[in-house]
């Protein structure tokens, strides 16, 4: 049994609730434990994962959040930089499933967040589990 930290950028409560529920369900079904921490935005997720990983308390991480395109360039910065930060940490050997939705509108987010539909929270948790298994296989 591994310990996972779900790191959520809580901006859209109803969407995050679904993403976190999907992630928790996938981790539980695989026999793992999960805790959740909440941050103000997706840009903070890579930093929080880096800090948490330094503690040695967790085996893997699931990044959860929703970034909906708005009227400004901010969407591109948040979507791109949060993904870049997560990828950099993953390349350093940290098992992270990226469940940050980057969508055009709320309707797209609802379909992707809902565990009964696309279940992107659950998929992110499964990705984190798969990376942790690879890390253990290769002696990481």
């Amino acid at each position: 049994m591994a310990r996972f930290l779900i790191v959520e950028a809580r901006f859209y409560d109803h969407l995050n609730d679904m993403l976190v529920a999907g992630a928790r369900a996938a981790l539980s079904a695989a026999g793992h434990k999960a805790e959740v921490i909440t941050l103000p935005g997706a840009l903070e997720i890579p930093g929080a994962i880096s800090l948490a990983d330094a503690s040695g308390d967790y085996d893997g991480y699931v990044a959860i959040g929703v970034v909906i395109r708005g009227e400004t360039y901010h969407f591109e910065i948040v979507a791109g930089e949060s993904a870049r930060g997560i990828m950099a940490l993953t390349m350093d050997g940290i098992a992270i499933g990226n469940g940050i939705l980057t969508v055009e509108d709320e309707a797209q987010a609802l379909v992707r967040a809902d565990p009964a539909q696309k279940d992107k929270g659950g998929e992110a948790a499964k990705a984190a589990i798969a990376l942790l298994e690879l890390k253990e296989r290769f002696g990481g």
Side-chain angles (χ1 to χ4, degrees):
M1 171 180 46
R3 292 188 61 204
F4 285 85
L5 182 63
I6 299 171
V7 183
E8 73 161 332
R10 190 146 189 99
F11 198 78
Y12 301 98
D13 290 343
H14 62 298
L15 298 169
N16 275 64
D17 287 344
M18 289 189 280
L19 288 165
V20 170
R24 281 186 179 276
L27 292 168
S28 178
H32 301 299
K33 290 197 177 260
E35 293 179 37
V36 178
I37 61 168
T38 301
L39 304 167
L43 286 174
E44 290 76 35
I45 289 176
I49 290 173
S50 180
L51 292 169
D53 197 60
S55 75
D57 291 341
Y58 303 98
D59 302 298
Y61 304 87
V62 182
I64 296 290
V66 180
V67 183
I68 298 176
R69 185 179 300 279
E71 298 175 0
T72 69
Y73 184 70
H74 187 67
F75 171 87
E76 281 82 7
I77 292 170
V78 174
E81 290 302 311
S82 62
R84 185 197 58 76
I86 290 168
M87 183 55 66
L89 293 171
T90 302
M91 296 299 291
D92 286 342
I94 300 174
I96 305 169
N98 187 349
I100 300 174
L101 303 182
T102 52
V103 296
E104 296 294 323
D105 54 44
E106 186 174 344
Q108 288 179 351
L110 281 167
V111 169
R112 287 159 178 75
D114 187 349
Q117 294 186 60
K118 294 207 176 205
D119 192 21
K120 294 300 183 180
E123 285 184 13
K126 290 174 186 174
I129 293 167
L131 285 170
L132 179 60
E133 289 171 353
L134 280 174
K135 182 177 179 179
E136 291 169 349
R137 176 181 172 188
F138 295 124

